[in-house]
Amino acid sequence: MDNKSVIPKKVYTLNQCWRLFAIAFGFLLFGVFGLVVLSILWFSLLRLVIRNKNVRITIAQYSISISFKIFISIIKLLGIIQYQFEGLEKLKQDKNCLIVANHPSLLDVVLLVSVLPRCDCLVKGALLNNIFISGIIKTAGYILNAESEKILLQCQQILSNNGRLLIFPEGTRTVPNQPIKLQRGAANIALRCHADIRIIHIQCDPPFLIKEQKWYDIPIKKTSFNIMIGEKISIDDFIEPNTTVAARKLTRYLTSVLIQAEKN
């Protein structure tokens, strides 16, 4: 008799089967729309017609925000997720500001950009290798974290023009069952550009599209996202002569705020 343990097959409920089909359809829709409609058609037209780079970037970012809003509305209608924002009106006050958020799910950026029609993002340089979104990143003028020598100057240009910059300071999606660990990049940008910070905390329950989770690993029940817009942190409270020390202190503070929000 074989003594090896038998791994039971995953059995989906009828509702999970529907959500599995729906999320596959959603990803297909997202990919086709992102590549064909935005990158190839609309953004190519923008590059040909709109010569002013700043105007082109503004239109591109509004287009992305509207597209993301439509996408999350569709997957909500299909029963894949539900979501709610708390304190959304606070974002209307934000200019010359970093927006810093934790990163539990692949859908975080979609949810946030859907309510930020004019916002720049710091994104992974590796995303330029993705044919579905590389054109979107370039046309929208998003900042690549791989171009370290250009990051600070680009951030200064955006923030000095009353812009907003969205950053996930963990650098990647949160590792499941591990404490939040922030890199110091966001703190350094805030200090060197003298920009206040708006903290956003995202709850994702049950976990969905988290790090190391396959897209087809559908949770038993529909995932609910709760996005809480926190208070603004004044950068003046952390300015000191030694920027390295200040960045370390600010990063610890940001970490503590996000961890506390996780517990509440």
Side-chain angles (χ1 to χ4, degrees):
M1 184 176 178
D2 190 357
N3 292 324
K4 292 181 179 180
S5 60
V6 178
I7 300 175
K9 293 183 178 180
K10 185 175 180 64
V11 178
Y12 287 109
T13 65
L14 184 61
N15 183 264
Q16 282 176 293
C17 288
W18 163 251
R19 282 184 282 127
L20 178 62
F21 166 79
I23 193 61
F25 171 75
F27 277 135
L28 178 63
L29 178 68
F30 187 84
V32 171
F33 185 86
L35 176 63
V36 179
V37 179
L38 281 184
S39 292
I40 297 179
L41 298 178
W42 177 234
F43 285 171
S44 295
L45 181 63
L46 283 183
R47 287 191 290 269
L48 286 172
V49 176
I50 309 297
R51 295 300 179 184
N52 185 298
K53 183 180 178 181
N54 291 331
V55 173
R56 187 169 65 243
I57 286 175
T58 298
I59 296 174
Q61 291 185 4
Y62 269 92
S63 302
I64 294 168
S65 180
I66 293 170
S67 300
F68 282 3
K69 188 183 293 290
I70 293 171
F71 174 73
I72 62 170
S73 297
I74 290 173
I75 62 174
K76 180 180 180 180
L77 184 64
L78 291 173
I80 300 170
I81 66 168
Q82 58 187 12
Y83 60 90
Q84 64 177 6
F85 288 87
E86 296 181 21
L88 193 56
E89 68 284 349
K90 296 176 184 177
L91 292 178
K92 297 177 182 178
Q93 311 166 12
D94 293 336
K95 295 180 180 179
N96 183 32
C97 181
L98 261 66
I99 297 175
V100 168
N102 63 317
H103 197 7
S105 171
L106 193 62
L107 292 176
D108 299 335
V109 66
V110 180
L111 288 161
L112 291 180
V113 172
S114 74
V115 295
L116 293 168
R118 184 70 175 93
C119 184
D120 288 270
C121 300
L122 183 64
V123 301
K124 291 182 178 180
L127 289 176
L128 284 182
N129 298 324
N130 187 319
I131 62 170
F132 295 102
I133 59 176
S134 59
I136 295 175
I137 291 171
K138 292 175 183 176
T139 310
Y142 291 158
I143 301 172
L144 302 176
N145 65 3
E147 300 177 338
S148 56
E149 71 283 355
K150 298 179 181 179
I151 288 178
L152 188 58
L153 178 60
Q154 290 173 313
C155 292
Q156 286 175 331
Q157 290 173 343
I158 291 166
L159 295 168
S160 63
N161 290 319
N162 291 323
R164 298 182 291 192
L165 181 61
L166 174 61
I167 300 179
F168 295 99
E170 291 172 272
T172 184
R173 279 172 286 169
T174 308
V175 178
N177 303 315
Q178 294 294 321
I180 292 174
K181 187 176 181 181
L182 306 188
Q183 299 177 15
R184 290 204 291 268
N188 272 309
I189 292 171
L191 288 162
R192 296 178 189 279
C193 298
H194 202 269
D196 293 338
I197 299 174
R198 174 74 70 187
I199 287 192
I200 295 180
H201 183 259
I202 304 170
Q203 288 181 322
C204 171
D205 182 43
F208 180 51
L209 297 178
I210 61 175
K211 194 174 181 66
E212 301 173 358
Q213 182 185 44
K214 304 297 184 182
W215 70 267
Y216 50 79
D217 189 6
I218 306 297
I220 295 294
K221 64 177 184 177
K222 178 168 56 177
T223 296
S224 177
F225 286 87
N226 185 57
I227 303 100
M228 184 182 70
I229 316 301
E231 297 304 315
K232 187 180 289 186
I233 297 170
S234 173
I235 198 63
D236 289 336
D237 295 338
F238 293 89
I239 295 291
E240 58 179 81
N242 191 321
T243 305
T244 301
V245 173
R248 192 178 299 124
K249 290 180 180 178
L250 179 53
T251 301
R252 282 200 300 265
Y253 180 75
L254 295 175
T255 303
S256 68
V257 171
L258 288 172
I259 289 175
Q260 186 58 43
E262 193 75 26
K263 294 177 180 179
N264 292 339

